[in-house]
Amino acid sequence: MALFGALFLALLAGAQAEIPGCKIRITSTALELVKQEGLRFLEQELETITIPDLRGREGQFYYNISEVKVMELQLTSSELHFQPEQELMLQINNGSLGLRFRRQLLYWFFYDGGYINASAEGVSIHTALQLSRDPTGRMKVSNVSCQASVSRMHAAFGGTFKKVYEFLSMFITSGMRFLLNQQICPVLYHAGTVLLNSLLDTVPVRSAVDELVGIDYSLLKDPVASASSLDMEFRGAFFPLADSNWSLRNRAVEPQLPEEERMVYVAFSEFFFDSAMESYFQAGALKLSLVGAKVPHDLDMLLRATYFGNIVLLSPAVIDSPLKLELRVTAPPRCTIKPSGTTISVTASVTIALVPPNQPEVKLSSMTMDARLSAKMALRGKVLRTQLDLRRFRIYSNQSALESLALIPLQAPLKTMLQIGVMPMLNERTWRGVQIPLPEGIDFVREVVTNHAGFLTIGADLHFAKGLREVIEKNRPANTRNPQAPSAPPPSMAAV
């Protein structure tokens, strides 16, 4: 009985789980590129390490080591890989640090000072970033675990008290190595929880697409890491800005990401595109009205000839009035994705009327239009673009079959009018596209679109259009310039 209850609860939870409209997979193939850019950033961060002054006394010798600065960092052996349970692991072995510091020595009344170079060798860093979903649906670095150590240090002392420094070098370098060990992990913790999170803050979560609709890219759950990839599931739903609480129920097929050859894969379900079209429908954008000179001249003459019998019965003041052609989508368009291609089905009403000045318009006819558009998707940079083409077109009357037959001569000119006058306006908007959830400074290149039953996938490679440092500096919070800020863990917990 208990087993049946547990099974029922599991099925209920699965039934209530929200289906993602968009998925992104980052594969291990991308990690080499990410590692190269990340190590450059890490080197720059570690060069900001500040080491406290080191003072001491051995017998009658008083020494002071100050103004310690990291001048050079060499990370000769490193590995970046995914770790199951939402972790990204970075391991650095046998690295080295070049240091420069000021020395001061007092022995009775004798004083010696100057600057000297030193090196820290056998630098080992093991750090893991835990990724999770925050309450707003944004991906965040929620925790950074770190172990860091420096196995040995060497300082080339010189000057008057060279022999004395060589005697004291064990005390001085041991103290500096201890202090350096204590500083590495707080810097990495700050870089992960503050600086990398400022980069993730550039990923759009819930933002406006244009003046009418917005897009919701909230994460539905924590990212899931395997040994070879990191998968993220996004709501991927549009909404009208005038009613931000409106939502469309997702009944589409869940997109799948079976491949891992390219650096990154993005999948969009039919729901992603359906929610866009329904949002524009709810916003009242799917209508077009052409009046007077905006109606193509040949079409104007043909429409007047077709409805000549209706027009001649009108008063002379109305007969020569401007013609009005109105198209209004009557139901939200629907997207169908098949391996053979993507189509958009549209049903609209077509109203033809005369518009006499300062008088109510006179309706001549109303008909229904069914159209099928082909849609080709492309990913440019981080923008998903769509190119539409009118494939099938049919008009018919809701009144009688006889009137539908009379409309056959209008099929070709109305289709031409749509192709010449309407489709360019649609494509101007759809080609502007919508941004996908990707951080600033990172773009997709060499993309390949593949259609499946109910969803499409785009495989691509990553390209850093901007350096990681450039983007982080641009978005760095003003009060987090100091890596020793309270956000860093105590050194004793961070370093080993």
Side-chain angles (χ1 to χ4, degrees), residues 45-264:
E45 282 300 302
L46 289 176
E47 287 174 1
T48 66
I49 287 178
T50 56
I51 299 177
D53 293 352
L54 182 64
R55 298 182 179 87
R57 174 184 176 181
E58 292 296 329
Q60 298 301 318
F61 293 100
Y62 295 84
Y63 60 88
N64 180 34
I65 302 298
S66 60
E67 302 178 24
V68 182
K69 292 183 179 180
V70 177
M71 306 301 294
E72 183 184 10
L73 177 63
Q74 293 184 353
L75 305 178
T76 55
S77 175
S78 61
E79 180 184 358
L80 182 66
H81 63 271
F82 294 116
Q83 178 80 17
E85 305 300 329
Q86 303 108 42
E87 286 191 339
L88 187 62
M89 300 287 296
L90 174 65
Q91 297 181 351
I92 297 172
N93 297 306
N94 297 322
S96 63
L97 288 168
L99 305 172
R100 182 175 175 82
F101 57 86
R102 183 185 180 192
R103 71 179 191 276
Q104 293 172 295
L105 177 67
L106 180 64
Y107 177 66
W108 293 101
F109 301 105
F110 299 98
Y111 170 81
D112 179 61
Y115 288 89
I116 193 169
N117 296 325
S119 63
E121 299 173 350
V123 177
S124 175
I125 301 173
H126 292 184
T127 185
L129 305 182
Q130 184 170 10
L131 304 173
S132 64
R133 173 191 181 276
D134 76 0
T136 67
R138 185 182 299 279
M139 185 168 70
K140 288 287 188 181
V141 177
S142 56
N143 190 37
V144 178
S145 60
C146 176
Q147 293 181 343
S149 63
V150 177
S151 61
R152 57 193 177 276
M153 286 197 67
H154 173 73
F157 292 102
T160 307
F161 291 90
K162 178 181 178 180
K163 295 297 182 181
V164 176
Y165 281 120
E166 290 177 352
F167 171 73
L168 298 174
S169 63
M170 183 181 67
F171 303 102
I172 295 174
T173 55
S174 297
M176 289 183 62
R177 185 166 65 89
F178 174 80
L179 293 174
L180 190 58
N181 281 339
Q182 297 294 297
Q183 300 302 313
I184 293 176
C185 281
V187 169
L188 294 180
Y189 186 87
H190 177 266
T193 59
V194 178
L195 302 185
L196 286 184
N197 276 335
S198 71
L199 175 69
L200 294 176
D201 285 342
T202 66
V203 177
V205 174
R206 191 174 174 89
S207 58
V209 175
D210 54 26
E211 69 280 2
L212 295 176
V213 306
I215 180 72
D216 186 345
Y217 279 127
S218 300
L219 272 175
L220 298 181
K221 62 180 183 180
D222 290 341
V224 178
S226 68
S228 58
S229 64
L230 179 71
D231 289 351
M232 294 159 282
E233 297 185 357
F234 301 89
R235 178 167 289 118
F238 291 77
F239 59 90
L241 292 178
D243 184 9
S244 59
N245 293 323
W246 176 88
S247 62
L248 177 66
R249 179 80 176 273
N250 186 352
R251 296 184 175 89
V253 173
E254 181 175 347
Q256 303 297 321
L257 291 170
E259 300 172 291
E260 295 185 353
E261 289 77 16
R262 303 297 296 275
M263 289 187 181
V264 63

Side-chain angles (χ1 to χ4, degrees), residues 203-390:
V203 177
V205 174
R206 191 174 174 89
S207 58
V209 175
D210 54 26
E211 69 280 2
L212 295 176
V213 306
I215 180 72
D216 186 345
Y217 279 127
S218 300
L219 272 175
L220 298 181
K221 62 180 183 180
D222 290 341
V224 178
S226 68
S228 58
S229 64
L230 179 71
D231 289 351
M232 294 159 282
E233 297 185 357
F234 301 89
R235 178 167 289 118
F238 291 77
F239 59 90
L241 292 178
D243 184 9
S244 59
N245 293 323
W246 176 88
S247 62
L248 177 66
R249 179 80 176 273
N250 186 352
R251 296 184 175 89
V253 173
E254 181 175 347
Q256 303 297 321
L257 291 170
E259 300 172 291
E260 295 185 353
E261 289 77 16
R262 303 297 296 275
M263 289 187 181
V264 63
Y265 289 90
V266 189
F268 301 98
S269 72
E270 292 174 343
F271 167 79
F272 180 86
F273 303 101
D274 285 346
S275 69
M277 294 182 289
E278 183 143 347
S279 295
Y280 280 106
F281 178 79
Q282 295 289 339
L286 302 184
K287 59 184 178 181
L288 175 67
S289 182
L290 303 176
V291 181
K294 292 186 177 181
V295 180
H297 179 67
D298 292 344
L299 182 59
D300 185 288
M301 293 181 60
L302 180 61
L303 289 173
R304 288 181 186 274
T306 302
Y307 297 102
F308 178 76
N310 301 56
I311 294 175
V312 296
L313 299 177
L314 301 174
S315 65
V318 176
I319 290 177
D320 294 327
S321 299
L323 192 72
K324 176 182 178 182
L325 178 64
E326 182 180 78
L327 288 81
R328 183 184 296 270
V329 175
T330 56
R334 285 292 176 255
C335 172
T336 302
I337 302 176
K338 296 180 179 179
S340 57
T342 302
T343 58
I344 308 293
S345 300
V346 183
T347 300
S349 66
V350 181
T351 302
I352 301 168
L354 293 175
V355 187
N358 303 318
Q359 295 184 43
E361 65 180 47
V362 179
K363 181 178 175 182
L364 298 178
S365 178
S366 178
M367 63 195 84
T368 300
M369 177 192 78
D370 285 340
R372 183 167 293 179
L373 314 176
S374 66
K376 292 184 178 180
M377 313 303 174
L379 195 55
R380 298 291 185 267
K382 58 171 66 71
V383 177
L384 179 66
R385 305 177 189 272
T386 306
Q387 180 76 28
L388 301 174
D389 187 23
L390 180 61

Side-chain angles (χ1 to χ4, degrees), residues 7-19:
L7 179 61
F8 175 77
L9 290 175
L11 291 173
L12 182 62
Q16 293 177 343
E18 184 174 353
I19 300 173

